[in-house]
Amino acid sequence: MNLPQEVRGARAGAAPMLQWLKIADLVVDPSYQRPICGRGRSNVDRIAREFNWRYFAPVVVSPVEGGKFAIIDGQHRTTAAALVGFDTVPCQVVIAGHEEQAAAFKAINGDTTPMSRMALHAAGVVANEPSAVEIANVCACAEVELLRYPVPVDKQKAGQTMAVGAIARCHQHYGADTLITALQCVTQTNNNEPGMLSARMIKALCEVLKNRPEWRESGTVLFDAFDAIELSSLQETAASEAACRRLGKVQVLVERISRELVNSPQFARPAVTLSAIPGLGDHRPSIAAAL
């Protein structure tokens, strides 16, 4: 496809500058960059041990306040160069605002390097991508914190989750209202414990509320019911039951949660006694209304 020169220029943006910059002048923006840990550390170590300028792509940076440059792409390469003993690295300097930096980070890393959904979502929020912002707003309403990088369950805090993908799929399939209420069944109840907001639990809660919309619309009555339900115990037993019954873990968890709610004082149908019916005496035995 041949495009006019003015169209090509408009789409390409301002031409970058190439120059060597001091590593001391390069900074990392934590709002969209992920910390170097786990596999990242191994990657830095590998680059440092095999360091060769022929394999070193220019670091993409953008000017920020204080005479510094924010690293958009190349944090690992720059760290490895510093470990080897170099104090400058070749850089491609682009002019970009904060949101444009985040969008560039996502475009570069999302297309070329395997990235976690958590890191890509965080960059999407900074870049003001509508879908990412919607998910962030949903989580804010439910007092849920989306982690930006993997954190072991024993290191997580209550209300934190790594299940960005599950939340995004549930938002698309069930809608914001159902998803928010499902998340609140954890964050607004006694079940607000570290690791409780797993992908499996979030999907199950959304399915339960979809099947019984009257529960979703019951307000704090729903949370009162969940206060008496131990979701952590249900999640553990559902896993073993699913294996025995050869069913999906989410399906079994949906069944167990629904059963607990049906039998809860908040949603169980009241018992009806024959003595309460006009014309019948108190000597009649009581019967419970069928569910």
Side-chain angles (χ1 to χ4, degrees):
M1 175 184 289
N2 294 321
L3 296 174
Q5 178 63 40
E6 61 273 14
V7 175
R8 293 200 300 269
R11 291 186 176 180
M17 298 175 288
L18 299 175
Q19 62 186 104
W20 286 75
L21 297 175
K22 292 182 179 180
I23 294 177
D25 291 334
L26 305 183
V27 298
V28 172
D29 188 332
S31 67
Y32 62 84
Q33 283 278 10
R34 60 208 186 282
I36 298 178
C37 57
R39 293 179 61 184
R41 291 181 179 177
S42 300
N43 190 34
V44 168
D45 181 66
R46 177 187 57 79
I47 296 173
R49 285 187 285 103
E50 303 172 358
F51 195 92
N52 190 311
W53 286 119
R54 288 192 296 270
Y55 310 144
F56 196 99
V59 180
V60 181
V61 302
S62 183
V64 292
E65 295 180 358
K68 303 293 184 179
F69 296 82
I71 297 177
I72 295 175
D73 178 64
Q75 179 186 179
H76 294 78
R77 298 194 299 278
T78 301
T79 303
L83 289 175
V84 173
F86 295 104
D87 57 4
T88 61
V89 290
C91 295
Q92 174 179 311
V93 183
V94 298
I95 306 302
H98 187 238
E99 295 180 5
E100 294 170 323
Q101 293 171 25
F105 167 81
K106 181 179 179 182
I108 294 171
N109 290 281
D111 292 340
T112 62
T113 305
M115 294 278 293
S116 71
R117 287 291 299 268
M118 293 175 285
L120 291 175
H121 168 77
V125 172
V126 176
N128 264 331
E129 292 186 356
S131 59
V133 172
E134 287 179 12
I135 296 300
N137 289 338
V138 164
C139 290
C141 289
E143 297 184 21
V144 170
E145 179 186 353
L146 284 173
L147 294 168
R148 296 190 296 109
Y149 51 89
V151 176
V153 173
D154 61 349
K155 302 293 183 183
Q156 292 181 23
K157 299 177 181 178
Q160 293 183 330
T161 182
M162 298 188 293
V164 178
I167 289 177
R169 288 190 292 273
C170 287
H171 181 266
Q172 182 178 12
H173 184 70
Y174 299 102
D177 291 341
T178 297
L179 176 57
I180 290 173
T181 304
L183 295 172
Q184 289 176 327
C185 288
V186 173
T187 62
Q188 304 302 313
T189 71
N190 294 332
N191 293 286
N192 196 22
E193 304 172 353
M196 203 66 259
L197 288 169
S198 64
R200 187 189 316 163
M201 181 60 69
I202 294 170
K203 292 176 184 177
L205 289 170
C206 284
E207 184 67 15
V208 167
L209 297 180
K210 183 207 77 170
N211 294 336
R212 298 291 294 268
E214 69 273 17
W215 289 347
R216 189 195 69 192
E217 302 299 330
S218 64
T220 58
V221 173
L222 178 66
F223 303 149
D224 291 340
F226 270 100
D227 276 333
I229 300 174
E230 293 186 8
L231 290 179
S232 58
S233 177
L234 292 184
Q235 185 164 241
E236 292 177 6
T237 55
S240 58
E241 182 180 337
C244 294
R245 296 172 60 190
R246 296 184 179 180
L247 296 174
K249 295 178 181 178
V250 172
Q251 179 182 345
V252 174
L253 191 54
V254 168
E255 293 177 1
R256 282 181 163 271
I257 294 173
S258 298
R259 188 181 305 129
E260 291 287 335
L261 289 174
V262 166
N263 294 326
S264 68
Q266 289 77 13
F267 297 116
R269 294 183 181 179
V272 177
T273 60
L274 294 180
S275 60
I277 301 176
L280 295 179
D282 294 340
H283 63 281
R284 300 286 186 176
S286 64
I287 60 173
L291 291 177

